[in-house]
Structures are given as C-alpha cells and as structure tokens.
Amino acid sequence: MPNRRALLGALAAGLLLAQASLAASAQDKLPVVASFSILGDFVREVGGDRVAVTTLVGANGDAHVYSPTPADAKAMAGARLIVVNGLKFEGWMTRLIKSSGAKAAVATATTGISPLKGDDDHDAKKGHAHGHDHDVDPHAWQNAANAKVYVANIRDALAKADPAGKDAYEANATRYLAQLETLDGEIRAAIARIPADRRKAITSHDAFGYFVKAYGIQFIAPQGVSTEAEASAKDVGRIIRQIKAEKIPAVFLENVTNPRLVEQIARESGARIGGRIYSDALSDAAGPAGTYIAMMKHNISQIEKALAAGPA
Ligand SMILES: [Zn+2]
C-alpha cells in the first residue's frame, strides 16, 4: 500500500512538474503574430529569442487575396501582440481579429510613413469588383528607409507588450537599423551603376511605387497595387506598345503572381525576362530571399543584371 501511494504521489508530482514546465516554456517567449512574411522577419530581428513569431501569410504567399485558416485564428487568440502592415494591405485582418477573439494589442508597422496613392485607374476599369478600394499603396517596405520606420514601430510595440525585454529590443533594433541603413546605400549604389536611360522595367503588379520613388527607377505594371483585379487586355496592350516605344530593357516575374502575364508581355514585346523579384513575400528559408535584407539584395542584383547589360 505505501508503495502504491508513493508511486501515485510521484506520478502526481511528475504531472505537476510537467505542467509547470509547459507553462514556463509558453511564458518564456512572447507570442507574436505577424500578418505576412516580411513583417515576421522584422519581428524576429527585433524580438530575437524573447519572441515566438507566427506568420500568417508565409513564404511566396499573396497577402492581398489571403483566406485565414482555423490555425491562424488560434494563433491570433493566443497572441500577446499582433503586427500588421496597414494601408489596406490585409483587408481580411479586421474580420480575423474579431472572429478569433484576439485580445492582443495590434501594432500597425507603417504608422508614421506618408503613404503613396494607389493607382485608382486600374481599379476603376474593374468596377471595384470586390468592393475594395486601393486608393493607397500598401507596399511601403520596398523603400529601405521605410523599413526603418517599420522596425522602430515594432521595437516600441514589443517593449510595450513585454517591458522586461525593452533593453534587448532596443539593442536588437539598433543593430538591425544599422544594417538597413547599409542596405539603403547598397541599393542606391546599384541603381547608380545602371545607365540613366535604362532605369525602367515591367513587373506584373504595382508593388514597387515606394522603390521607384526612393531610388529613381521606373517600374510599370499591368496590374494595380492589389493583385485582386486582373489586368485588362487594354492595359497589357498599352504596356507592350510602351516597351517598344521606350525600349524598356526587361520584364520581371514576381514571386507572388502568376508568371503567365509577364511571359506573354515578354513574348509580344521582345523585352527579355530579367528574372524573378520578390514583391510582397519572402522566399522560403532555403531560397534567395529568406529575409528582408536578402530579398532586397536579390531584387537589386536581378534588376542591375537585367538593366545594366546592353540592349535587349
Ligand atoms: Zn502587392
């Protein structure tokens, strides 16, 4: 009998210990949800080993047309901080916050960035089929100076959600902000190596407005600032004529959009395909754009290679 009681006691104690250690490991890291892969990378850089990041729209995913899953709702409900891009990028987020019963603070990473206007023209032609308006361009991360604003906002939101980690978040952010500063200079240097009259290219959707404005290169796209609406035949025809008239050297595939449209434009215009660039999502970790900095470096090397070379 005593043996049995001791055994039961030991079992109970073991169970308690197991529960305690589970609770401790869950409390160890701050659960943070990031709406898409680029934000997830920023949160990891600033949060370091204090945070456990769940990214909703993963590698190569298109956040414009995403449908949340039950697992997403569960992650939202358990989060202590939710980080979103804002500027109407994640049109599905408001409903997900409500339906998941999430209680976490929501940090909008673009707070403080002056938004560029979206291309209403693209939308008008589609008659606003989905009831979304894209009067604002959400792709602010495509300017490395804006990425610094994202990171500062994430640093402040993490420190608020987890005051004990404030010093760690500040140190991580300072280190990473310096890397973004270097990146910004590298992008400028790469663009400067492209002859001025060749700084123009085609992409499938209008994701590079902030890049264009910051770095002085022209990108033209048949699709608007969202991928929700398809490009019209009229838009495609106009772009093919523009490529020929302005001798635009290259067209680029994007990781989040179907390559067919750009391939068709290349075929009909004679422009060369300059490779795949990453607009709205990272690649998986093994790919060429597993982090934001790797993504921007990959994009700029593809752009430089395609545009700096001789006539197409
Ligand atoms: Zn986009």
Side-chain angles (χ1 to χ4, degrees):
M1 275 306 155
N3 279 348
R4 189 158 175 247
R5 185 173 296 158
L7 190 65
L8 280 174
L11 273 173
L15 203 63
L16 277 175
L17 264 175
Q19 278 171 343
S21 80
L22 261 180
S25 70
Q27 277 165 7
D28 256 15
K29 294 188 187 245
L30 186 78
V32 182
V33 167
S35 60
F36 74 115
S37 54
I38 292 166
L39 285 185
D41 181 48
F42 291 153
V43 175
R44 260 180 222 109
E45 287 288 351
V46 180
D49 51 16
R50 292 187 69 90
V51 301
V53 189
T54 303
T55 294
L56 303 186
V57 185
N60 301 312
D62 182 355
H64 292 292
V65 292
Y66 183 68
S67 300
T69 66
D72 295 340
K74 204 175 158 204
M76 294 281 286
R80 294 264 309 280
L81 176 67
I82 295 162
V83 183
V84 301
N85 184 74
L87 305 180
K88 302 182 181 176
F89 186 50
E90 311 97 333
W92 38 270
M93 183 52 90
T94 310
R95 199 188 306 168
L96 179 60
I97 289 172
K98 205 174 276 177
S99 69
S100 65
K103 297 281 180 288
V106 178
T108 302
T110 52
T111 299
I113 289 172
S114 0
L116 292 179
K117 281 179 72 110
D119 190 348
D120 270 324
D121 193 34
H122 280 287
D123 267 1
K125 286 173 192 151
K126 310 296 171 292
H128 291 267
H130 297 272
H132 296 284
D133 56 327
H134 300 293
D135 52 344
V136 68
D137 181 346
H139 308 91
W141 62 83
Q142 286 292 348
N143 171 353
N146 286 345
K148 289 164 69 179
V149 178
Y150 278 66
V151 166
N153 284 329
I154 289 167
R155 173 198 63 205
D156 296 348
L158 285 171
K160 207 168 167 194
D162 171 28
K166 189 169 185 281
D167 290 349
Y169 300 136
E170 272 174 9
N172 291 344
T174 301
R175 172 191 49 76
Y176 187 59
L177 286 168
Q179 293 178 24
L180 292 176
E181 181 73 34
T182 304
L183 172 70
D184 190 63
E186 288 172 7
I187 297 170
R188 285 173 199 288
I191 299 286
R193 289 191 293 266
I194 302 169
D197 62 340
R198 296 179 62 83
R199 288 176 200 158
K200 48 195 176 186
I202 307 292
T203 57
S204 42
H205 91 293
D206 215 348
F208 293 92
Y210 293 87
F211 189 88
V212 163
K213 186 157 186 253
Y215 302 116
I217 182 167
Q218 191 189 1
F219 273 91
I220 304 142
Q223 264 184 307
V225 294
S226 175
T227 55
E228 279 170 300
E230 304 244 313
S232 70
K234 202 177 149 198
D235 287 334
V236 173
R238 176 177 55 81
I239 279 182
I240 289 170
R241 285 193 302 278
Q242 197 174 355
I243 292 172
K244 291 178 179 169
E246 297 179 23
K247 298 187 170 56
I248 295 173
V251 300
F252 291 98
L253 306 172
E254 277 176 51
N255 67 322
V256 300
T257 58
N258 189 315
R260 262 180 309 188
L261 176 62
V262 164
E263 283 165 354
Q264 179 204 341
I265 290 172
R267 215 168 34 240
E268 293 181 22
S269 68
R272 86 162 70 102
I273 294 180
R276 171 175 278 105
I277 54 178
Y278 291 76
S279 51
D280 296 20
L282 303 177
S283 69
D284 56 35
T291 66
Y292 172 77
I293 288 180
M295 174 186 90
M296 296 300 277
K297 286 186 176 181
H298 170 83
N299 286 354
I300 196 64
S301 86
Q302 297 286 99
I303 290 165
E304 188 185 348
K305 229 183 285 171
L307 301 186

